[in-house]
């Protein structure tokens, strides 16, 4: 499921500084925020949005499809599981530094209830022209325009740069799917590729990965089976081994998680791997016509 | 957060897993004393890295004099970049066979994974390469856990030692959960000649993110080896990694910072640091830039912002303030996009008289050339 404007969104932690700011931004772009959660402020309103004590309580009067979390790390597990048990089809976990075993418990609950998790530590999802969920600049027309390229990224900042480059090259986006920098992402590159492969609006895909883990290698086979062109960029080529590069998941251990391993797996599957983000638009334009001819 | 053998073994013992009697020693005399009480013993270097045996950091000693000599040889050695300052002196255990056991975070199942092999003594990569048939894996449902009955199929084939081995795996899993570990590994786990199960070594990696509820792990863990600048970064809450090139860099977000670093190398330069001001740290641009400039190798600087959550106007303000305070005599090149870019670009033009590059690659290229 790719977020559309008909999806109803619940904001967990809506009354905090960031929760307030981004809820307003999301609504300005068309996202249908039907409620928020803060146990201490239940019964009040935040900019006209009703605030509930829990997702379960919200679900009684304000059914929702997607929950997005602005909740500190130590409260993240309970908050996410509350949303899953309340019937969320998708939970977007923005929180960074959640203990890994709590992340596992979130994933276990999601499996039991058939919910999809994005994150932890994702910047969110954007469907240009319809809305966005999270902390991406979904409101910036230099970065996001309705179009036909699906973008998958572990990083918000780099994903933003890639989307900006796409617009410059004459491409808009059908969807931006932020997977997050956590070592245990709820939605993997491979799963995100499958989502975009099934999506009628998507003609091509940009996969933005980074060193660490084996997610890009795992996605390579699937990418090779797709008829839609896939272009990739992998960050961290110059990272020294054994050091965590900001994201908890971005670390090279021995032969595992290296740039070369990812590049080789993707190229072997027929995916073009760009050397710099600036090349992505050109590699894509080699395969499909731009969304906005005459741009760039 | 890595716990060395001497710090991890008491945790095993508290969970009911037998470990040899032993003592942590900082001098050869202490080692000789310990051997007096223990009898025939093993003297083991305590460093947060593997392959100690191959490096000569583990020696057998039959009596106190041998323990003294072994400790003299091992103390002061450098193993994997770590100088040995302490040895663990332990009683020898009569080994019948060596096993391997571990519990770790598994990205594939998004849950805990138990690994067990009846071929121990080698490291896990060697076991996987040479005896893949012996390596058993069990993905554990974290909502259910692991008990004797579920662990039992992993250890079938150990004969009379199987019940105790299954108990050991269940205890190891309990420890993994109790201390928020990312990895607990016992290698070798041995069966003694009298069918007891004893952990001869232990490696434990605790989850840094869980430290707020695991203060004990922070105390037991080996502090990371940091440079002075890296330590200063830590104190400021900034993830600064010192590198040896001349091109300083400041970017927001882990992915963009890695990409900026990659572009520096791709265009023929060498970065002098990794430093991202992602998340809430984006308001820390001023102290972050001061840290970057404190590295004496820096000969040019690239500032690359792509604001999503992080507002580029707030970050640019921090950079401008740091620049005006420090007045560094090196060239700086900007690329600024995303949230707040109009204000940020106007600010940099007005206060520093510098026009940011439109393309990140051009800003990086200019910085690489200027550092030559």
């Amino acid at each position: 499921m790719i977020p559309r404007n008909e999806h109803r969104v619940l904001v967990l932690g809506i009354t905090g500084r960031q929760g307030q700011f981004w809820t307003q931004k999301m609504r300005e772009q068309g996202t249908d925020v039907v409620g928020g959660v803060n146990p201490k402020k239940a019964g009040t309103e935040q900019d006209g949005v009703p605030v509930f004590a829990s997702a379960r309580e919200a679900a009684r009067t304000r059914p929702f499809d997607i929950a997005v979390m602005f909740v500190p790390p130590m409260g993240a597990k309970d908050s996410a599981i509350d949303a899953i048990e309340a019937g969320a089809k998708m939970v977007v976990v923005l929180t960074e530094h959640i203990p890994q075993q709590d992340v596992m418990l979130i994933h276990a609950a999601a499996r039991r209830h058939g919910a999809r998790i994005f994150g932890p530590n994702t910047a969110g999802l954007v469907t240009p022209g319809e809305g966005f969920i999270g902390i991406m600049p979904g409101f910036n027309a230099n970065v996001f325009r309705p179009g036909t390229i699906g973008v998958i990224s572990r990083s918000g900042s780099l994903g933003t740069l890639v989307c900006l480059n796409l617009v410059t090259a004459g491409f808009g986006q059908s969807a931006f799917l932020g997977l997050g920098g956590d070592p245990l992402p709820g939605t993997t590159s491979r799963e995100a590729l499958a989502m975009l492969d099934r999506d009628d609006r998507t003609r091509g895909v940009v996969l933005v990965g980074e060193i660490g883990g084996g997610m890009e290698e795992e996605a390579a086979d699937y990418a090779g089976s797709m008829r839609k062109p896939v272009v990739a960029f992998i960050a961290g080529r110059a990272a020294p081994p054994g050091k965590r590069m900001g994201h908890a998941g971005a670390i090279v251990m021995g032969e595992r998680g290296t740039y070369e391993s990812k590049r080789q797996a993707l190229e072997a599957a027929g995916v073009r791997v760009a050397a710099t983000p600036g090349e992505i638009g050109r590699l894509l334009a080699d395969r499909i016509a731009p969304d906005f001819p005459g741009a760039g | 957060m890595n716990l060395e053998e001497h710090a991890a073994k008491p945790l095993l013992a508290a969970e009911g897993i037998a470990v040899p009697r032993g003592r942590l020693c900082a001098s050869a005399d202490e080692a000789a004393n310990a051997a007096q009480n223990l009898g025939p013993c093993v003297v083991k270097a305590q460093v947060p890295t593997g392959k100690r045996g191959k490096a000569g950091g583990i020696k057998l000693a039959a009596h106190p004099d041998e323990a003294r000599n072994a400790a003299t040889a091992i103390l002061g050695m450098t193993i994997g970049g770590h100088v040995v300052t302490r040895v663990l002196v332990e009683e020898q255990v009569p080994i019948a066979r060596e096993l391997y056991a571990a519990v770790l975070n598994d990205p594939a199942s998004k849950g805990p994974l138990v690994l067990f092999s009846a071929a121990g003594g080698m490291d896990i990569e060697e076991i996987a390469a040479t005896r893949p048939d012996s390596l058993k894996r069990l993905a554990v449902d974290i909502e259910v856990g692991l008990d004797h009955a579920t662990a039992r199929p992993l250890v079938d084939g150990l004969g009379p030692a199987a019940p105790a081995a299954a108990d050991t795996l269940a205890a190891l899993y309990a420890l993994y959960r109790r201390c928020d570990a990312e990895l607990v590994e016992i290698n070798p786990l041995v069966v003694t000649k009298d069918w007891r199960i004893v952990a001869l070594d232990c490696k434990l990696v605790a989850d840094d993110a869980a430290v707020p509820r695991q203060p004990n792990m922070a105390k037991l863990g080996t502090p990371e080896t940091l440079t002075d600048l890296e330590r200063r970064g830590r104190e400021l809450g900034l993830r600064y990694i010192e590198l040896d090139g001349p091109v300083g860099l400041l970017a927001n977000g882990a992915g963009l910072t890695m990409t900026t670093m990659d572009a520096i190398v791709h265009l023929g330069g060498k970065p002098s640091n990794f430093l991202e001001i992602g998340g809430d740290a984006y308001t820390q641009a001023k102290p972050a830039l001061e840290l970057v400039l404190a590295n004496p190798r820096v000969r040019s600087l690239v500032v690359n912002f792509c604001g999503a959550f992080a507002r580029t106007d707030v970050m640019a303000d921090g950079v401008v303030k740091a620049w005006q305070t420090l007045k560094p005599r090196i060239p700086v090149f900007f690329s600024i996009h995303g949230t707040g870019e109009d204000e940020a670009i106007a600010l940099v033009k007005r206060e520093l008289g510098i026009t940011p590059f439109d393309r990140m690659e051009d800003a990086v290229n200019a910085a690489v050339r200027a550092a030559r």
Side-chain angles (χ1 to χ4, degrees):
Chain A
M1 150 180 150
I2 288 167
R4 303 284 181 220
N5 54 12
E6 72 262 22
H7 290 132
R8 299 156 300 179
V9 175
L10 183 73
V11 179
L12 311 177
I14 193 171
T15 56
R17 193 167 51 92
Q18 298 297 349
Q20 283 184 37
F21 176 81
W22 289 96
T23 297
Q24 193 191 339
K25 292 281 181 199
M26 288 188 266
R27 293 175 79 197
E28 282 167 13
Q29 293 306 306
T31 303
D32 183 16
V33 178
V34 296
V37 171
N38 176 345
K40 291 188 194 118
K41 300 205 173 155
T44 64
E45 285 194 349
Q46 179 69 53
D47 298 326
V49 176
V51 179
F52 300 91
S54 67
R56 259 175 288 195
E57 195 199 298
R60 283 192 209 115
T61 50
R62 293 280 177 142
F64 59 93
D65 306 291
I66 299 172
V68 55
M69 277 176 59
F70 292 87
V71 175
M74 289 300 159
K77 179 197 72 180
D78 289 345
S79 177
I81 292 177
D82 172 36
I84 292 164
E85 291 181 344
K89 296 186 189 83
M90 179 188 288
V91 182
V92 180
V93 185
L94 307 175
T95 314
E96 185 178 9
H97 303 307
I98 305 176
Q100 289 292 286
Q101 294 187 6
D102 285 2
V103 175
M104 293 175 181
L105 286 162
I106 293 172
H107 291 327
R111 239 183 336 256
R112 213 162 8 92
H113 290 266
R116 173 165 293 288
I117 305 289
F118 275 91
N121 193 16
T122 171
L125 298 89
V126 188
T127 307
E130 300 204 30
F132 76 99
I133 292 157
I135 51 175
M136 288 296 286
F139 43 83
N140 187 325
N142 294 330
V143 179
F144 288 108
R145 283 189 201 176
T148 65
I149 305 303
V151 180
I152 300 166
S153 177
R154 273 160 84 170
S155 157
S157 57
L158 177 55
T160 301
L161 178 70
V162 167
C163 288
L164 176 96
N165 286 345
L166 282 176
V167 168
T168 308
F171 291 100
Q173 303 90 1
S174 52
F176 172 88
L177 306 176
L179 306 184
D182 196 271
L184 301 174
T187 298
T188 61
S189 303
R190 185 192 176 94
E191 289 167 331
L193 276 179
M195 287 170 77
L196 294 171
D197 198 17
R198 287 193 298 269
D199 175 43
D200 292 340
R201 298 187 196 174
T202 300
R203 286 191 302 145
V205 177
V206 178
L207 176 62
V208 185
E210 64 190 33
I211 52 161
M215 205 160 69
E216 289 79 10
E217 288 89 333
E218 188 209 42
D221 279 347
Y222 189 91
S225 76
M226 287 171 64
R227 294 177 66 182
K228 299 175 184 180
V230 181
V231 171
F233 175 77
I234 308 292
R237 184 179 200 169
K243 300 268 189 186
R244 262 184 195 164
M245 293 287 115
H247 283 159
I251 180 167
V252 170
M253 302 291 266
E255 294 301 303
R256 195 174 147 70
T258 62
Y259 174 86
E260 276 310 314
S261 148
K262 291 171 192 304
R263 185 184 62 79
Q264 283 168 15
L266 288 163
E267 288 189 342
V271 174
R272 300 284 298 274
V273 180
T276 66
E279 272 183 32
I280 293 171
R282 186 174 56 73
L283 292 179
L284 211 49
D286 284 349
R287 300 282 303 276
I288 48 176
D291 291 324
F292 327 119
Chain B
M1 183 79 64
N2 290 303
L3 273 67
E4 289 169 20
E5 179 186 12
H6 66 88
K9 274 184 167 166
L11 300 175
L12 289 182
E15 214 62 58
I17 299 173
V19 298
R21 289 184 304 136
R23 210 170 94 194
L24 185 65
C25 304
S27 71
D29 282 348
E30 277 182 61
N33 267 336
Q36 194 86 50
N37 296 325
L38 295 167
C41 61
V42 191
V43 181
K44 306 171 83 178
Q46 297 298 293
V47 277
T49 179
K51 314 241 193 269
R52 289 173 299 165
K54 279 175 192 148
I58 299 177
K59 293 184 192 297
L60 293 173
H63 48 75
D65 278 347
E66 281 188 20
R68 185 193 310 275
N69 292 342
T72 305
I74 294 170
L75 288 165
M77 277 175 102
T78 302
I79 303 177
H82 303 274
V83 177
V84 182
T85 59
R86 292 179 298 182
V87 291
L88 182 62
V89 181
E90 280 189 338
E91 63 177 342
Q92 290 183 17
V93 173
I95 301 169
R97 67 188 293 188
E98 295 186 315
L99 317 170
Y100 172 95
V103 184
L104 67 154
N105 295 354
D106 176 34
S109 63
K110 296 170 192 171
L113 181 72
V114 180
L115 295 177
F116 178 80
S117 171
M122 321 175 248
D123 64 31
I124 185 64
E125 289 83 8
E126 272 179 275
I127 296 172
T130 60
R131 293 281 312 276
D133 52 304
S134 79
L135 188 61
K136 295 185 178 162
R137 302 156 182 271
L138 178 69
V140 178
D141 180 344
I142 194 167
E143 292 182 322
V144 176
L146 183 82
D147 61 10
H148 179 96
T150 41
R152 191 59 194 264
L154 290 169
V155 297
D156 273 348
L158 288 184
D167 285 340
T168 301
L169 288 182
L172 190 62
Y173 180 83
L175 174 63
Y176 159 89
R177 287 285 279 139
R178 194 184 312 285
C179 64
D180 269 300
E182 293 179 351
L183 165 74
V184 205
E185 182 186 65
I186 305 177
N187 189 27
L189 179 69
V190 302
V191 183
T192 62
K193 290 181 175 150
D194 53 354
W195 301 108
R196 288 180 304 124
I197 302 276
V198 182
L200 289 201
D201 196 1
C202 183
K203 179 181 177 185
L204 195 152
V205 181
D207 182 355
D208 291 339
V211 164
R213 67 184 182 204
Q214 298 282 1
N216 198 34
M217 289 298 124
K219 275 188 232 144
L220 293 174
T222 309
E224 251 187 289
T225 320
L226 299 174
T227 68
D228 289 346
L229 286 175
E230 288 171 347
R231 197 166 303 111
R232 231 172 97 186
R234 249 2 117 80
E235 284 159 15
L236 292 165
L238 297 168
R239 295 181 274 200
Y240 176 91
I241 298 172
E242 188 172 345
L243 303 169
D244 57 7
V247 184
L249 72 108
L250 181 66
N252 65 289
L256 188 68
T257 307
M258 275 192 274
T259 302
T260 311
M261 196 162 87
D262 294 345
I264 291 170
V265 173
H266 182 70
L267 294 167
K270 284 179 88 179
S272 57
N273 65 278
F274 173 90
L275 172 62
E276 61 128 334
I277 46 172
D280 281 326
Y282 81 83
T283 55
Q284 303 293 307
K286 184 168 182 278
L289 184 59
E290 287 166 356
L291 195 59
V292 170
L293 295 174
N295 184 334
R297 294 184 202 86
V298 175
R299 291 210 297 268
S300 71
L301 176 71
V302 57
V303 177
N304 185 20
F305 292 150
C306 209
F309 170 76
R311 286 167 48 185
T312 58
D313 53 333
V314 174
M315 294 188 286
D317 184 58
V319 169
V320 164
K321 285 195 174 121
W323 203 263
Q324 289 172 338
T325 310
L326 296 172
K327 300 187 175 61
R329 293 176 173 203
I330 59 167
V332 54
F333 306 93
F334 289 85
S335 175
I336 299 175
H337 292 288
T339 313
E341 65 181 38
D342 293 340
E343 297 86 340
I345 290 170
L347 182 74
V348 169
K349 276 186 185 163
R350 188 176 69 238
E351 296 297 324
L352 303 181
I354 295 170
T355 303
F357 286 89
D358 193 36
R359 294 175 67 241
M360 167 194 116
E361 287 87 343
D362 295 334
V364 170
N365 197 31
V368 168
R369 280 162 188 281
R372 284 200 181 124

